[in-house]
Amino acid sequence: MITRYEDLSINQYEAISQLCKDESLTTHELNLGILSVLTGIDEDTLLDKPITEFNELMKSAGFITQPMPNIHNKRVANAYHLGEFVLRPMLDVTKWTASQYIDFQEFSKREDVVGMLTCILVPKQTIYGKDYEITEVREVIGEELSIID
């Protein structure tokens, strides 16, 4: 179970954000959905748990009600080791390819954080979109990169 922001992946964060935006959910449905994301346990299985165990899981999820840690002074790593990839951040836009820049703009319009990161985090010793499966990079970024990274 995830018990701190540092362990929360981008995909999990986005799933929780979508739940929070859903105004049709009751407070109980929202809490259950968030707990499901944090535990990786489906909602029906959570509802079948003994109340004492369920309450312990809810307590462990309490961090989510606190503000996220301040990351404004956090430095970008030289490389991110995610899955089988070593991804290097390409922060200098003047060194991007045209397709990289266009893709970033499109992902930005859709507020697709993982998509934008696939443009910035490129496998070492490759050119954006060449000699690797971009969908695999996208998947590993969403699943393994912490929202704090």
Side-chain angles (χ1 to χ4, degrees):
M1 169 161 183
I2 296 163
T3 59
R4 57 193 199 123
Y5 282 109
E6 290 79 0
D7 298 327
L8 188 65
S9 75
I10 295 172
N11 284 353
Q12 291 162 326
Y13 177 81
E14 288 185 338
I16 291 170
S17 293
Q18 288 302 312
L19 287 167
C20 291
K21 290 176 187 175
D22 187 345
E23 295 177 6
S24 71
L25 296 177
T26 66
T27 302
H28 295 297
E29 291 169 330
L30 174 62
N31 289 339
L32 187 60
I34 291 171
L35 190 60
S36 178
V37 171
L38 294 176
T39 61
I41 301 170
D42 68 83
E43 293 179 11
D44 289 334
T45 302
L46 285 170
L47 289 171
D48 288 339
K49 292 204 173 287
I51 191 66
T52 53
E53 187 178 344
F54 183 83
N55 284 340
E56 286 302 313
L57 291 172
M58 287 297 290
K59 281 183 197 174
S60 296
F63 79 96
I64 206 78
T65 64
Q66 303 300 315
M68 283 180 54
N70 184 349
I71 58 170
H72 294 312
N73 294 326
K74 188 168 178 152
R75 297 185 55 95
V76 175
N78 290 331
Y80 293 90
H81 299 265
L82 302 175
E84 65 183 63
F85 297 101
V86 177
L87 304 173
R88 63 183 163 87
M90 294 188 65
L91 303 177
D92 185 351
V93 179
T94 64
K95 295 182 180 174
W96 286 13
T97 64
S99 66
Q100 192 172 6
Y101 182 79
I102 291 166
D103 286 351
F104 183 86
Q105 295 303 315
E106 289 301 314
F107 291 132
S108 179
K109 285 179 193 173
R110 296 194 308 255
E111 298 180 7
D112 180 349
V113 174
V114 175
M116 289 185 284
L117 286 170
T118 61
C119 296
I120 296 169
L121 299 175
V122 177
K124 278 195 168 198
Q125 300 174 342
T126 64
I127 296 171
Y128 174 75
K130 305 283 185 199
D131 300 323
Y132 67 96
E133 286 295 324
I134 202 160
T135 55
E136 291 176 11
V137 170
R138 179 184 177 88
E139 184 176 317
V140 77
I141 288 172
E143 291 176 1
E144 295 187 25
L145 191 64
S146 163
I147 193 66
I148 300 300
D149 288 334

